[in-house]
């Protein structure tokens, strides 16, 4: 749909973000750079995702391109759940999500020439009870080690255990598409 210049770079290895941006109708290329994903300890969740997304975007030096970078995290009872590093850590995270509500924050940072735009979205997610056997099955079969909070809303766990969401579904996947679309549509028209 949008094939005019400026060209778009997605600064993300996430297959879910890539799929969503394609579904939004934009042509783009993927370029990533290794970036430091640490953050100052005094930041709240929306500041954390923006801080990391901004670092990812600034690592790609292409001033005549629109560069899109994003970061997503899960927060439950004030605790940040990032990407699990082991089966044990994934199971611990899923135990916290079981029969509980949590928030998913995504920060998107977009640069073009000397301009910068940012978007933060928050979605509340309610999960039903997940048994230990179901957690083990999910971790073994779906390997959620690249997913904040150890799950994907679009896969087996999300389909079977997410009872309710309040906010953007695509935000939980890692890219708040409705908000990003209007920003990108304006930029590619200019």
């Amino acid at each position: 749909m949008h094939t005019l210049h400026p060209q778009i770079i997605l600064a993300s290895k996430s297959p879910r973000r890539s799929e969503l941006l394609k579904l939004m109708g934009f042509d783009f290329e993927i370029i990533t750079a290794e970036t430091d994903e640490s953050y100052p300890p005094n930041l709240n969740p929306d500041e954390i995702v923006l801080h990391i997304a901004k670092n990812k975007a600034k690592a790609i030096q292409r001033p005549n391109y629109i560069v899109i970078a994003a970061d997503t995290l899960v927060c439950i009872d004030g605790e940040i759940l990032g990407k699990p590093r082991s089966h044990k850590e994934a199971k611990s995270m899923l135990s916290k999500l079981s029969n509980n509500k949590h928030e998913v924050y995504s920060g998107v940072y977009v640069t073009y020439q000397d301009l910068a735009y940012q978007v933060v979205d928050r979605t509340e997610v309610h999960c039903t009870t997940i048994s230990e056997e179901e957690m083990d099955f999910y971790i073994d079969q779906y390997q959620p080690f690249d997913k904040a909070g150890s799950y994907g809303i679009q896969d087996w766990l999300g389909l079977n255990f997410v009872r309710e969401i309040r906010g953007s579904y695509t935000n939980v996947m890692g890219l708040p598409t409705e908000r990003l679309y209007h920003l990108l549509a304006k930029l590619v028209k200019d």
Side-chain angles (χ1 to χ4, degrees):
M1 179 174 149
H2 296 282
T3 55
L4 303 174
H5 290 295
Q7 293 177 299
I8 297 173
I9 293 172
L10 176 61
S12 175
K13 297 176 191 168
S14 166
R16 291 160 300 282
R17 288 189 183 115
S18 177
E19 177 186 356
L20 288 170
L21 198 55
K22 281 181 198 161
L23 289 171
M24 290 170 69
F26 293 99
D27 293 326
F28 60 94
E29 62 181 296
I30 296 171
I31 300 175
T32 61
E34 289 303 315
T35 55
D36 179 9
E37 293 196 18
S38 63
Y39 51 87
N42 59 333
L43 299 182
N44 59 38
D46 56 336
E47 293 170 326
I48 293 169
V49 292
L50 265 184
H51 177 84
I52 295 171
K54 183 177 182 178
N55 286 346
K56 291 177 183 178
K58 291 193 171 205
I60 308 297
Q61 298 295 319
R62 301 284 175 92
N64 293 320
Y65 287 72
I66 295 171
V67 177
I68 303 166
D71 191 64
T72 301
L73 63 77
V74 171
C75 186
I76 186 163
D77 300 325
E79 180 184 357
I80 305 296
L81 303 182
K83 297 173 185 172
R85 293 180 296 264
S86 66
H87 187 287
K88 181 179 179 183
E89 196 172 301
K91 192 167 181 179
S92 172
M93 289 182 188
L94 294 177
S95 296
K96 292 173 185 177
L97 301 181
S98 177
N99 197 33
N100 209 343
K101 74 171 182 161
H102 61 277
E103 293 82 36
V104 178
Y105 293 83
S106 289
V108 181
Y109 197 84
V110 178
T111 61
Y112 176 55
Q113 296 177 341
D114 59 348
L115 304 172
Y117 304 90
Q118 58 190 37
V119 171
V120 176
D121 212 347
R122 177 190 162 278
T123 304
E124 187 176 287
V125 182
H126 297 256
C127 291
T128 59
T129 302
I130 311 164
S131 72
E132 280 201 44
E133 295 79 17
E134 290 162 334
M135 289 179 205
D136 287 330
F137 168 80
Y138 177 69
I139 296 164
D140 291 340
Q141 295 299 311
Y142 291 86
Q143 302 288 307
F145 304 110
D146 67 335
K147 296 175 175 71
S150 299
Y151 82 99
I153 195 164
Q154 73 284 355
D155 65 24
W156 185 84
L157 191 127
L159 294 173
N160 294 313
F161 298 95
V162 171
R163 181 181 69 238
E164 177 183 359
I165 66 168
R166 293 184 183 168
S168 168
Y169 174 83
T170 60
N171 181 57
V172 183
M173 289 178 68
L175 198 64
T177 54
E178 183 272 335
R179 296 187 65 194
L180 180 59
Y181 176 82
H182 294 289
L183 171 61
L184 292 179
K186 181 181 181 300
L187 284 177
V188 296
K189 285 180 192 171
D190 293 345

